């Protein structure tokens, strides 16, 4: 038997895929090359990952040099120079007072790491009864058991329902079509939805709750932008009850919302920030969990020779990933990428909302360079219409993504008006031919 189709693709309809495979073999700047020699304009920056463009020359050079200098060094009780340097740079970019950085290899690992740090923190302070974790409906925190448990995407949870973590509850999600459809940027309505946390504090007793984890802007679930004042109110409630606030910024960090972090954009500082994707421009897998100094300090107890946190990955702070991260952060700075993204945002906003009158469009949402166009589902075939628009765009030379019937956009931080115009013209044509 041939093993030509041995690869089991993640989050993919595998049988349909192998009937007409879509295979990328190269990339440069804003374009992919396919195995049949076509050039595709990437409207999704990889998978929210590559805001600086593909094969950025300085990142490529840094990785090439690193792999020939230090391939790997033991990461427990020993480390490498690049990991130390990258932690320093990440901390310098982070909100004031968030000065400690724990490295992982992905967003999923970042989410599980953050939840474990929160539990360890409370225990170290003598509040070991604080074990409950609060997520939010429609939240995505990766696919490992911790992140899946606090996550709120029904399709991801269904099969694993009985084996999710106990002691988890969820805030209601922040979407209400009747109150916020076609909002540009943050919806004016909905700050009061944060009060749902007070309901859970009353139900479980706040003294049992360790942490609340939310995406500042929910990405995978179809771009849910936080209502004005919502994140501030979550912060206030957490402070009132001694609960740690975790922002999952795997998508929103490093320029995606026109700032180093969504925390900076929205003016709310959490206790822990999880990142991945844009940390290395997607070039080498890596995540980072950024922690408020006081949380770290609370854990630095006991005899000095004893490990303070029994957690870590073989590849935490991998030198190749750290070299990519250092070059990536330098490029963001040199190219003024976050301010550029902020400057592109109004053009992106105007163009995405120009699709409002197209048939089948029921909502359009955006903030920073994150955008979603929600389509009415085809009766009896939820998600089919969104997937067909994705396919039509791919055939027409533009890569977008669909999460069910929400078309998703994540253009490069230095996108030009012409590129954005081509992306949305292609989507418009696809919408006019899809049934
Ligand atoms: N948290 C958030 C907020 C994410 O967006 C993860 C955690 C998990 O990261 P890893 O690196 O383990 O995949 C993510 C990942 C989509 C899509 O369609 C988004 C992600 C993954 C797959 C699809 O928007 N984000
Ligand atoms: N499984 C086994 C048998 C291992 O020895 C290890 C690490 O040493 C792991 C899983 C975890 O791998 P990682 O540290 O890459 O997450």
């Amino acid at each position: 038997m041939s093993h030509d189709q041995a690869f089991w693709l993640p989050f993919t309809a595998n049988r349909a895929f192998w009937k007409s495979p879509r295979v990328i073999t190269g990339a440069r700047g804003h374009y992919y090359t396919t195995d049949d020699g076509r050039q595709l304009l990437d409207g999704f920056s990889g998978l929210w990952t590559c805001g600086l463009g593909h094969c950025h020359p300085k990142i490529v050079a840094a990785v090439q040099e690193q792999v020939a200098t230090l391939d790997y060094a033991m990461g427990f009780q020993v480390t490498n120079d690049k990991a130390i340097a990258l932690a320093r740079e990440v901390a310098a970019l982070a909100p004031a007072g968030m000065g400690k950085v724990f490295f992982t290899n992905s967003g999923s690992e970042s989410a599980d790491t953050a939840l474990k740090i929160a539990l360890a923190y409370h225990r170290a302070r003598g509040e070991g009864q604080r074990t409950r974790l609060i997520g939010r409906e429609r939240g995505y925190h990766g696919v490992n058991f911790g992140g899946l448990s606090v996550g709120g995407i029904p399709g991801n949870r269904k099969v694993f329902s009985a084996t999710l973590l106990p002691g988890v509850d969820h805030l209601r999600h922040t979407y209400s079509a009747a109150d916020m459809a076609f909002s540009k940027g943050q919806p004016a309505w909905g700050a009061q939805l944060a009060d749902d946390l007070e309901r859970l504090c009353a139900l479980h007793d706040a003294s049992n709750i360790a942490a609340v984890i939310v995406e500042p802007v929910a990405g995978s679930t179809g771009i849910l932008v936080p209502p004005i004042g919502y994140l501030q109110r979550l912060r206030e409630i957490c402070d009132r009850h001694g609960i740690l606030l975790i922002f999952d910024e795997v998508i929103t960090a490093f320029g995606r919302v026109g700032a180093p972090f969504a925390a900076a954009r929205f003016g709310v500082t959490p206790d822990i920030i999880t990142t991945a994707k844009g940390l290395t421009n997607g070039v080498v897998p890596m995540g980072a969990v950024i922690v408020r100094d006081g949380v770290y300090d609370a854990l630095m107890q006991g005899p000095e020779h004893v490990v303070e946190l029994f957690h870590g990955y073989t590849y935490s702070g991998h030198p190749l990933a750290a070299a990519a991260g250092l070059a990536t952060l330098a490029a963001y700075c040199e190219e003024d990428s976050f301010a550029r993204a902020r400057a592109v945002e109004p053009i992106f906003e105007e163009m995405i909302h120009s699709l409002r009158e197209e048939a089948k469009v029921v909502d359009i949402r955006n903030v920073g360079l994150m955008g979603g166009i929600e389509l009415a589902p085809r009766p009896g075939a939820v998600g089919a219409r969104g997937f067909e628009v994705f396919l039509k765009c791919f055939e027409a030379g533009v890569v977008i993504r669909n999460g069910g019937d929400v078309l998703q956009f994540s253009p490069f931080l230095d996108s030009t008006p012409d590129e954005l115009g081509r992306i949305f013209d292609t989507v418009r044509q696809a919408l006019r031919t899809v049934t």
Side-chain angles (χ1 to χ4, degrees):
M1 182 185 160
S2 157
H3 289 158
D4 290 349
Q5 299 181 3
F7 181 30
W8 184 347
L9 280 77
F11 275 122
T12 295
N14 277 260
R15 288 159 303 159
F17 176 87
W18 286 113
K19 286 187 181 142
S20 59
R22 292 169 292 280
V23 182
I24 312 285
T25 54
R28 189 148 305 267
H30 294 185
Y31 289 85
Y32 285 127
T33 306
T34 62
D35 60 349
D36 53 357
R38 296 192 310 132
Q39 294 287 304
L40 309 177
L41 175 58
D42 182 2
F44 210 64
S45 301
L47 215 171
W48 304 105
T49 45
C50 313
L52 291 167
H54 294 281
C55 289
H56 188 287
K58 291 196 174 165
I59 306 172
V60 170
V63 171
Q64 285 174 334
E65 189 184 330
Q66 185 62 40
V67 73
T69 306
L70 173 65
D71 52 350
Y72 177 76
M74 181 185 273
F76 303 160
Q77 303 284 17
V78 176
T79 192
N80 69 82
D81 56 337
K82 295 299 191 301
I84 292 173
L86 182 59
R88 186 177 60 225
E89 297 301 320
V90 169
L93 202 58
M98 301 193 72
K100 292 292 174 180
V101 181
F102 196 104
F103 288 118
T104 70
N105 305 291
S106 67
S108 296
E109 288 183 2
S110 290
D112 280 43
T113 297
L115 298 174
K116 288 175 77 174
I117 289 174
L119 294 172
Y121 162 77
H122 289 298
R123 188 177 161 110
R125 291 165 56 251
E127 286 201 71
Q129 87 286 355
R130 284 193 185 263
T131 56
R132 285 189 177 270
L133 301 168
I134 308 289
R136 192 169 61 189
E137 293 170 345
R138 298 190 68 166
Y140 185 69
H141 305 292
V143 293
N144 294 342
F145 275 107
L148 190 61
S149 300
V150 290
I153 298 194
N156 292 353
R157 295 166 54 90
K158 178 178 172 181
V159 168
F160 311 103
S161 183
T163 39
L164 298 179
L165 293 185
V168 171
D169 209 338
H170 293 75
L171 299 168
R172 62 153 297 177
H173 64 71
T174 60
Y175 187 61
S176 169
D179 295 294
M180 55 178 68
F182 298 103
S183 293
K184 292 182 173 174
Q186 289 189 269
W189 180 92
Q192 75 284 2
L193 298 174
D195 295 340
D196 203 38
L197 181 54
E198 288 285 17
R199 179 178 67 84
L200 297 182
C201 286
L203 176 66
H204 299 295
D205 201 283
S207 68
N208 292 311
I209 300 175
V212 173
I213 182 168
V214 293
E215 302 161 87
V217 182
S220 311
T221 191
I223 325 297
L224 304 185
V225 183
I228 293 169
Y230 172 88
L231 295 171
Q232 281 80 358
R233 208 179 295 192
L234 268 192
R235 175 75 272 183
E236 286 160 19
I237 298 169
C238 286
D239 283 346
R240 193 149 59 236
H241 296 293
I243 299 168
L244 293 184
L245 179 60
I246 304 169
F247 278 179
D248 186 338
E249 296 222 33
V250 166
I251 287 175
T252 54
F254 306 114
R256 188 50 51 201
V257 294
F261 297 95
R265 166 86 191 237
F266 299 122
V268 177
T269 306
D271 300 287
I272 303 177
I273 292 175
T274 59
T275 70
K277 300 190 189 271
L279 174 61
T280 60
N281 203 41
V283 175
V284 183
M286 185 180 225
V289 180
I290 310 167
V291 179
R292 183 163 61 73
D293 297 333
V295 171
Y296 172 87
D297 292 342
L299 281 159
M300 296 302 120
Q301 292 188 12
E304 262 190 35
H305 70 280
V306 175
V307 170
E308 296 101 353
L309 181 68
F310 283 86
H311 179 71
Y313 304 99
T314 303
Y315 301 125
S316 287
H318 192 288
L320 215 54
L326 282 166
T328 297
L329 297 194
Y332 288 142
C333 185
E334 280 164 29
E335 298 171 27
D336 207 10
S337 302
F338 307 155
R340 264 165 103 162
R342 197 69 193 257
V344 175
E345 180 173 344
I347 304 165
F348 175 69
E349 178 172 278
E350 192 191 314
M351 285 195 193
I352 193 170
H353 281 275
S354 76
L355 281 97
R356 177 175 182 154
E357 301 304 331
E358 297 299 321
K360 306 172 191 86
V361 171
V362 296
D363 190 13
I364 299 177
R365 307 182 278 270
N366 71 289
V367 73
L369 296 184
M370 304 175 69
I373 299 178
E374 181 151 358
L375 309 180
R378 186 179 297 150
V382 172
R385 192 174 270 156
F387 187 61
E388 285 165 28
V389 172
F390 156 79
L391 286 177
K392 282 176 187 285
C393 290
F394 198 92
E395 282 156 20
V398 169
V399 181
I400 63 165
R401 199 174 138 71
N402 72 294
D405 287 306
V406 183
L407 309 178
Q408 301 179 7
F409 303 88
S410 167
F412 296 106
L413 303 182
D414 62 346
S415 294
T416 64
D418 280 355
E419 288 167 344
L420 295 174
R422 180 164 165 222
I423 291 167
F424 289 113
D425 284 348
T426 305
V427 171
R428 184 176 280 110
Q429 287 313 313
L431 283 174
R432 288 179 182 174
T433 53
V434 79
T435 54

